[in-house]
Every structure is written in C-alpha cells, then in structure tokens.
C-alpha cells in the first residue's frame, strides 16, 4: 500500500464490517451506549431547568457550569486511575455516583439552598466512572482493519449524536408532563438503571482493561501531562475547545431565550437541532468517500462548524437560530470521528483511555466556562451581548484554522493511507520505549504517513 493509493482491501472488507456492526458484541454494546448517553444528556438539561425554577438562571448556570468544568477537568484523572488500577474500581465509582445522585434529587425536591446542591453535583461528577472512554478505547481491539475501525467509530459517534437529538426531546416532554423537579428525579433514576446495564455489559465483554504493566520511567512532562505531552494532541483538541464554547453557550441561551419569547414549544427542537445535524453529517461522512489526509479533513470540518456560527449575532428569529445550529451540527460528528481516529493512532496503550477522555473533556472545559458567562448575560437579559460573545468564539476558531492551513500550505501534501494514521514527525518523536509498550495494533493504528498539524 502506497501513500498515494487508497488502502488495499477496503472494498473487500465491507461485508465483514457490516457483520461486525450488526453482530455480537458490537451491536449490544452500541445499543447500551446509546441508552446511557441519552439519559446522561437528559440530566443536565433537567438539572438546569429544575434549579432555574427554584433559584433563577444565574445560579442554575453557575451550578451547571461548575458541573461541566469538574466533569471536564477530572474525567482524564478518572481515566488515568482506570488505566492504572483496572476494572475493580468501576463498581465502587458507580455505587458512589448512585448515592450522590439520590442526594442531588433530594436537594432539588425539597428545595435545599443552591450552595448545598452544588457540592453534591460536583461530588457525583467526581465519582462518575469513565465508561464511555473505556468503550471507545476498546474498538481497536474489536476491529481488524482500517475500514472496520472507521466504521465502528462512525457508528458510535452517529448513535451518540442521535442520543443528543433524543435527549432534549425527552427533557422537553418530561418538563411538560412532570415538571422540572419530578422530571429530573425520573431522569436520574433512569440514568442509574441504564448505567448498571452498561457496567454489566462492560464486565461481560471485558471492555475495561487490566492495569497496564509497569513501564519505563517517564520524563516529568509526560508524567504530569500524560497524553497532552504527545506530539499532535494540542492540534487535535483545539477545534473541540471552540466547539465546546459554542454549544455550552447555546445550551444556556436557548432555554432562557425561548422562555423570554414565550415560545417553550421551540425548546426541544432548538436543543435537538445541532445533534440532528450531527446525525446527518456523521452518516454522510461514513458513507461518502473523501480521499484526503485526516489533518486536512479536520481543518475543513472545523471551518464548516464555525462558519454558520459567525451569523449567530443575527439570529434573533428562532427559525434562523435553529437553521444555523442545524448547519453547524453537520460537522460535529465528523469532527469527533476524526479526533478519535487521530487519538487512537497517537496514544500508547498505557494512556489510551485517558487520551480518549481528553476529547470530550476539552469540549467540556470550554462548555462550562461559556455556560457560566452566557448564564450571567441572559440573567441580565443582554441577549445581543450573549450572541456577540458566541460569534467571537466562532471567529477565533475560524481564524486559528485558517492560520494553520496557510502555514502548512507550502508543505508537500501526503495522501491518506488509512483512516487511523499518525503524523510522521509525531511518530518519530514517540520514544522507542513507549512504542515498545504497545500491544499488537490494527493496520489503522500503525500507518504513519500523515503530516504533523
């Protein structure tokens, strides 16, 4: 296989890829993951609405933003703990999360002071097991080729976006039928039940890894930063930082703005617009051929995400806001697919779960910060300022991407030799000891012909 030709055998792999996606254990794991992510995505929406009902949007956004920041900053640490300690810690983490979620529901039901709810939400986030990252890191063991690896990551990401489409619709229905407080209590109970199913399936199919054998001593930078010290990882995470800021802000702006406009019926469709676009974009990306290296794809997709967001300042009509979010959402799932493929090829086995966690954590860091900022603005009903802030975030992301593209335009382009490639100079920068610590990898994980970002 040469760098200028498509991977050999991809056409022949299509039947086996279909069997992988529709057979055991992948089919059942994807189904359980979809249910878990849907219920998990419903919880923050109902938490925001329940707290806003009792304490106002500024305090509700503070709790929601803190929750998201803690989730983002601590998820890699929890994953590092799982990488080193193995699956025996999962049951303890799940039990602690269940107890703390029950206390959060009680604080909402009995209208405890919001500073009481905040530490409970934070503690529940700290103990939540990183099952999604463990699942994503396991696909490379179930896939046997480049086409299968791309297909399973694509199916996983599309179903995840489908869950985010369904979640706001479920939250809207719960809000109408049960009210914000009882809606949150019901969602928390459903999340605990589905999380138990997920944990049982992960144990049954050995998805959570055993502790990695003791590796050679790392330098201090790698010891503290983990996957962030790997060449190429910062460039992978930058578009996700922009994405998190945009959708963290709109996640607060939309509920507040629909209530301000007395258009509560628009809440579900508006919150689901981005994920609807994500489902459509993910299906198109997985089905249509696009012969280009992953870094070039990544930058084009980033521009596709940020361009419609540049018009958010003008999005006063709800139909225009929904349209812009739908268009931006078309690029969300392809961005995640590329990010997971690049990360899968970059990370070593002793930090693979942690590296996968950083993809979502990076988006969540920006999400939490922007949620707090926009929550404060909408509490003061500064709608134009809120939209202008989000437009500036999109402009910064687009400018950074264009700068990267112009800086690397003079470099010789290298064709895509596989969907899971590692940048060439990133590969040469990885130490021999780290490479030697890897187990046998799929062809997608071993191709090393792409440019450094």
């Amino acid at each position: 296989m040469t760098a200028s030709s498509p991977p050999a055998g991809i056409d022949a792999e299509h039947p086996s890829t279909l069997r992988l996606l529709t057979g055991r254990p992948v089919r059942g794991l994807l189904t359980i993951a979809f249910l878990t992510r849907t219920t998990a995505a419903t919880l923050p929406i109902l938490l925001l609405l329940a707290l806003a009902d009792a304490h106002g949007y500024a305090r509700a956004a503070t709790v929601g933003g803190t929750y998201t920041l803690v989730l983002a900053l601590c998820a890699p640490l929890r994953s590092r703990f799982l990488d080193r300690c193995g699956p025996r810690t999962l049951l303890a983490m799940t039990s602690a999360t269940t107890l703390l979620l029950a206390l959060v529901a009680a604080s909402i039901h009995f209208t405890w002071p919001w500073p009481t709810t905040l530490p409970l939400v934070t503690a529940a986030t700290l103990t939540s097991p990183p099952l999604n990252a463990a699942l994503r890191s396991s696909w490379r063991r179930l896939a046997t080729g480049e086409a299968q690896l791309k297909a399973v990551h694509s199916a996983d990401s599309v179903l995840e976006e489908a869950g985010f489409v369904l979640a706001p619709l479920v939250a809207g229905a719960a809000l109408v039928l049960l009210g914000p407080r009882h809606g949150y209590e019901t969602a928390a109970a459903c999340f605990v039940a589905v999380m138990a199913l997920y944990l049982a399936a992960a144990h049954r199919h050995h998805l959570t890894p055993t502790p990695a054998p003791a590796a050679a001593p790392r330098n201090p930078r790698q010891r503290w930063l983990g996957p962030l010290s790997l060449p190429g990882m910062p460039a992978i995470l930058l578009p996700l930082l922009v994405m998190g800021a945009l959708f963290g802000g709109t996640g607060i702006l939309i509920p507040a703005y629909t209530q301000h406009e007395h258009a509560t019926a628009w809440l579900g469709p508006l919150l689901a617009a981005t994920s609807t676009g994500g489902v459509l974009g993910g299906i198109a990306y997985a089905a249509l051929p696009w012969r280009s290296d992953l870094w070039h794809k990544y930058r084009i997709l980033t521009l596709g995400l940020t361009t419609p967001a540049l018009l958010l300042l003008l999005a006063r009509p709800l139909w225009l806001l929904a349209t812009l979010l739908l268009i931006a959402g078309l690029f969300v799932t392809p961005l995640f697919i590329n990010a997971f493929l690049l990360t899968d090829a970059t990370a070593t086995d002793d930090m693979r779960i942690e590296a996968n966690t950083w993809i979502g954590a990076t988006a969540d860091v920006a999400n939490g910060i922007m949620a707090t900022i926009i929550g404060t603005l909408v509490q003061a009903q500064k709608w134009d300022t809120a939209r202008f802030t989000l437009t500036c975030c999109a402009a910064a992301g687009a400018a950074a991407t264009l700068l990267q593209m112009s800086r690397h335009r003079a470099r010789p382009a290298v064709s895509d030799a596989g969907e899971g490639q590692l940048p060439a100079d990133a590969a040469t920068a990885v130490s021999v000891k780290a490479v030697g610590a890897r187990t046998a990898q799929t062809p997608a994980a071993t191709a090393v012909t792409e440019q450094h970002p």
Side-chain angles (χ1 to χ4, degrees):
M1 180 171 63
T2 65
S4 60
S5 61
I10 284 186
D11 291 337
E13 286 191 27
H14 284 171
S16 62
T17 298
L18 183 61
R19 286 195 296 270
L20 174 71
L21 295 177
T22 59
R24 296 180 179 179
V26 173
R27 179 185 60 191
L29 294 173
L30 288 174
T31 302
I32 294 175
F34 169 74
L35 295 174
T36 304
R37 291 162 178 167
T38 301
T39 53
T42 304
L43 277 176
I45 301 173
L46 290 171
L47 175 64
L48 172 70
L49 295 172
L51 290 174
D53 181 63
H55 306 292
Y57 267 103
R59 291 175 175 176
T62 299
V63 175
T66 303
Y67 157 84
T68 305
L69 280 174
V70 171
L71 177 66
L73 296 174
C74 296
L77 296 178
R78 297 198 315 270
S79 296
R80 183 178 297 186
F81 186 60
L82 183 57
D83 274 327
R84 296 180 180 180
C85 298
R88 66 177 182 270
T89 61
L90 286 177
L91 181 59
M93 296 173 73
T94 303
S95 301
T97 303
T98 301
L99 175 61
L100 289 166
L101 282 177
L103 292 174
V104 172
S107 73
I108 291 174
H109 181 81
F110 296 107
T111 320
W112 295 354
W114 74 273
T116 305
T117 304
L118 178 59
L120 292 174
V121 171
T122 303
T125 305
L126 285 171
T127 59
S128 180
L131 295 176
N132 281 338
L135 176 64
R136 287 195 186 276
S137 67
S138 70
W139 292 138
R140 60 183 295 273
R141 299 200 300 271
L142 298 175
T144 58
E146 298 167 3
Q148 286 192 358
L149 185 62
K150 177 186 176 182
V152 73
H153 272 296
S154 298
D156 194 10
S157 295
V158 168
L159 285 174
E160 184 173 16
E161 286 302 319
F164 288 125
V165 173
L166 184 60
L169 300 178
V170 172
L175 180 64
V176 173
L177 298 176
L178 302 174
R181 300 185 188 186
H182 292 303
Y184 176 80
E185 294 164 6
T186 303
C190 292
F191 175 69
V192 170
V194 178
M195 186 169 58
L197 291 176
Y198 197 173
L199 185 61
H203 176 74
R204 177 182 179 184
H205 298 292
H206 308 287
L207 295 183
T208 51
T210 55
R218 299 175 178 175
N219 58 58
R221 182 170 179 265
Q222 192 175 26
R223 183 182 301 114
W224 289 104
L225 296 180
L228 296 182
S229 64
L230 298 175
M233 280 300 293
I236 295 173
L237 300 179
L238 178 60
L240 304 173
L241 197 67
V242 177
M243 181 194 301
L246 291 174
F247 298 140
T250 54
I252 300 296
L253 177 65
I254 287 171
Y257 192 58
T258 52
Q259 289 189 353
H260 173 74
E261 295 291 316
H262 305 288
T264 308
W266 276 88
L267 175 62
L270 278 169
L271 291 176
T274 300
S275 294
T276 300
V279 171
L280 297 176
I283 293 173
Y285 178 78
L288 299 177
W290 185 2
R291 299 302 180 191
S292 181
D293 68 82
L294 286 178
W295 288 115
H296 180 70
K297 292 179 184 178
Y298 207 47
R299 297 179 187 120
I300 294 297
L301 292 169
T302 303
L303 289 177
L305 171 74
T306 55
T307 299
L310 294 173
L311 302 176
L312 284 175
L313 183 61
L314 307 176
R316 294 184 180 181
L318 294 177
W319 65 266
L320 178 58
L321 179 59
T323 302
L324 294 175
L325 292 174
L326 178 66
I327 295 173
L330 292 172
F331 302 92
V332 170
T333 301
L335 267 172
F336 273 118
I337 294 170
N338 273 264
F340 283 118
L341 288 171
L342 288 169
T343 301
D344 184 75
T346 302
T348 52
D349 282 341
D350 60 336
M351 59 177 69
R352 189 168 300 279
I353 295 179
E354 183 183 353
N356 276 276
T357 306
W358 270 111
I359 294 177
T362 302
D364 286 340
V365 167
N367 187 306
I369 294 173
M370 191 56 61
T372 303
I373 294 173
I374 298 299
T376 303
L377 292 174
V378 301
Q379 180 71 19
Q381 298 196 10
K382 296 181 178 180
W383 309 108
D384 289 340
T385 305
R387 285 191 291 265
F388 178 73
T389 302
L390 296 176
T391 301
C392 289
C393 291
T401 303
L402 290 172
L403 181 62
Q404 283 186 345
M405 294 178 73
S406 63
R407 192 169 62 187
H408 293 279
R409 188 171 297 159
R411 295 189 182 185
V414 181
S415 299
D416 191 10
E419 289 293 341
Q421 295 172 322
L422 178 64
D425 52 348
T428 57
V430 177
S431 67
V432 175
K433 292 181 180 180
V435 174
R438 293 180 183 233
T439 59
Q441 295 186 358
T442 64
T446 55
V448 288
T449 60
E450 288 192 33
Q451 291 178 278
H452 187 280

